[in-house]
Amino acid sequence: FTGLENEVLTYIYHSQKKVPLSIESFGITFPSPNFHIQRFDARYFILEYIVSGKGYLKVDGKLHTLHANDVYLLEPGSSHEYYADKDEPFKKYWINFKSDVFFHILHEYDLNQIYVFHDTDISEEMTKIFALEKVSLYNDQIYKQASKYLFTIFMKLAEKNHIKAEGSVIAQQILAELDKAIDSSVSIDEICKTLFISRSKLIREFKKHYDITPHAYLVNRKIAFSKMLLQNSAHSIKSISNHLGFADEHYFSNIFKQKTGMTPSEYRKSRTNLTTDSQQ
C-alpha cells in the first residue's frame, strides 16, 4: 500500500447487530504517481470510480487500463493490484463494504468477474454516500440509505453489461449454462451438446466476449461459491466438494489452494478468526 498519504477517508463504526450491509470505509484518492495497492484474498467489496486521470487494474491475469468515468468492482476473495499512471495519475472515489445481499445481486445480474465498466457515471451516487458522513459514522444508522445508493450503482453496472452483452446471443447462452453448472458436475462437453455447438466454437465465442475461457470461468465461480459456504455454513469440506460437482475432496482442495494459496480448512479457519476479531 503506497501513496495513501494523498487520500481522504472515512471509517465507519459497527455494533454487534447483524445488518445486510457493512460499510468498512469510503473516501477520495487524489492524484499521486506513487499510488499502488495490491491485495491477496480481499475481505470486502471494493467499488471505485475514476474521476479524472489514468490508472491500471490487474486481476485474473489481465491488465485493464482505467480512464475518467470508468468504474471497477472487485468482489470479496479476489486478489488484485491497482495503481496510478505515473504521468497522469488518477483521482478516484471509492467505497469498501461487506454484504451477502450484494454478493447475490452481483451474481444474479451477471456482474461477477467483469471488474471494469467503462464510461459509467456514478459520481452522483458516490457523492450521496459521502454525504452520509454528516448523518452518522455508525453503520447501523446509515446502511439503509447507503444500500439504496449502492443498489442504484449496481443497476447502472447491470445495464451497462446488458448493452455490451447484446452483441452475442451465443455467449449469453453459454454463460447461462455455466452458471447453472456451478453446483453440479456438468462438463464443458455436456454444455456443448446442450447448445448444439462444437467445443472450439463454445470456447472461442465465450472468450471473445468475456475475456476468459469457459472452464476458467466455471472454476472461478465454483471457488467463489465455496468460499461463501466455507465462511457462512457448517458443511464439511467433502460435502461442499460434492455439492459443487468436483471429482473428489482431494481434487477440490488442490484447486482451492491453487486459486487462494490456502487449503479449504485453512481458509475457513482464517475467516473464522477474522469474524471473531471483528466482534471483540
Side-chain angles (χ1 to χ4, degrees):
F1 294 79
T2 58
L4 301 188
E5 65 276 4
N6 293 283
E7 286 196 321
V8 173
L9 56 88
T10 299
Y11 285 108
I12 303 300
Y13 300 102
H14 301 85
S15 68
Q16 298 291 329
K17 182 180 178 181
K18 177 71 174 179
V19 294
L21 172 68
S22 178
I23 303 170
E24 297 292 303
S25 56
F26 53 75
I28 301 173
T29 301
F30 294 98
S32 167
N34 297 320
F35 183 88
H36 191 140
I37 285 182
Q38 185 171 17
R39 290 187 186 88
F40 299 95
D41 195 21
R43 295 188 295 111
Y44 38 67
F45 279 103
I46 296 144
L47 174 66
E48 310 217 344
Y49 170 69
I50 308 300
V51 179
S52 60
K54 184 179 178 182
Y56 307 94
L57 166 68
K58 289 182 179 179
V59 61
D60 277 352
K62 183 175 180 180
L63 177 65
H64 302 265
T65 301
L66 308 166
H67 298 280
N69 226 33
D70 288 348
V71 176
Y72 56 96
L73 176 62
L74 305 168
E75 62 184 286
S78 66
S79 296
H80 49 257
E81 179 181 9
Y82 50 91
Y83 50 95
D85 183 80
K86 295 292 184 182
D87 299 320
E88 193 182 350
F90 50 34
K91 173 183 177 181
K92 58 187 179 69
Y93 298 157
W94 55 267
I95 179 172
N96 299 336
F97 60 95
K98 298 178 182 178
S99 174
D100 289 342
V101 171
F102 280 96
F103 182 86
H104 288 296
I105 290 175
L106 182 88
H107 288 265
E108 291 297 327
Y109 283 85
D110 296 325
L111 299 176
N112 55 299
Q113 297 183 346
I114 296 177
Y115 306 121
V116 177
F117 302 82
H118 296 292
D119 194 25
T120 307
D121 188 353
I122 61 169
S123 56
E124 180 180 351
E125 290 77 19
M126 293 299 290
T127 300
K128 289 179 178 178
I129 290 173
F130 293 163
L132 294 176
E133 178 184 16
K134 298 178 181 178
V135 176
S136 176
L137 291 178
Y138 288 87
N139 191 73
D140 292 357
Q141 298 176 22
I142 63 173
Y143 78 89
K144 290 182 180 178
Q145 291 168 284
S147 295
K148 179 173 67 175
Y149 304 142
L150 283 172
F151 185 77
T152 301
I153 290 172
F154 270 57
M155 291 306 98
K156 281 189 173 183
L157 301 183
E159 179 61 24
K160 175 65 68 171
N161 186 45
H162 174 72
I163 292 171
K164 178 183 176 183
E166 287 181 341
S168 175
V169 174
I170 294 177
Q172 292 178 67
Q173 291 174 336
I174 298 169
L175 181 68
E177 292 298 323
L178 289 170
D179 285 340
K180 287 194 293 185
I182 291 173
D183 57 353
S184 74
S185 57
V186 172
S187 68
I188 299 298
D189 287 334
E190 288 172 310
I191 293 175
C192 291
K193 292 178 182 179
T194 299
L195 297 178
F196 301 102
I197 59 176
S198 67
R199 184 182 179 89
S200 60
K201 183 174 182 179
L202 181 140
I203 295 172
R204 183 175 63 252
E205 287 293 322
F206 191 84
K207 193 170 189 298
K208 173 184 175 183
H209 195 73
Y210 296 107
D211 296 322
I212 189 172
T213 66
H215 175 74
Y217 173 85
L218 184 56
V219 170
N220 287 346
R221 288 296 305 272
K222 286 177 181 284
I223 294 301
F225 193 37
S226 72
K227 286 180 178 180
M228 187 175 68
L229 292 174
L230 287 165
Q231 185 172 350
N232 299 305
S233 79
H235 294 305
S236 68
I237 294 170
K238 182 177 181 179
S239 175
I240 293 173
S241 173
N242 292 338
H243 179 71
L244 295 177
F246 286 96
D248 54 52
E249 180 182 353
H250 181 68
Y251 178 68
F252 165 60
S253 297
N254 285 340
I255 294 295
F256 191 94
K257 187 169 185 178
Q258 288 176 20
K259 293 290 184 179
T260 68
M262 292 184 281
T263 65
S265 297
E266 291 169 341
Y267 181 84
R268 171 171 272 169
K269 184 177 180 180
S270 71
R271 297 295 100 177
T272 303
N273 290 340
L274 284 173
T275 301
T276 303
D277 292 342
S278 67
Q279 292 175 348
Q280 291 177 349

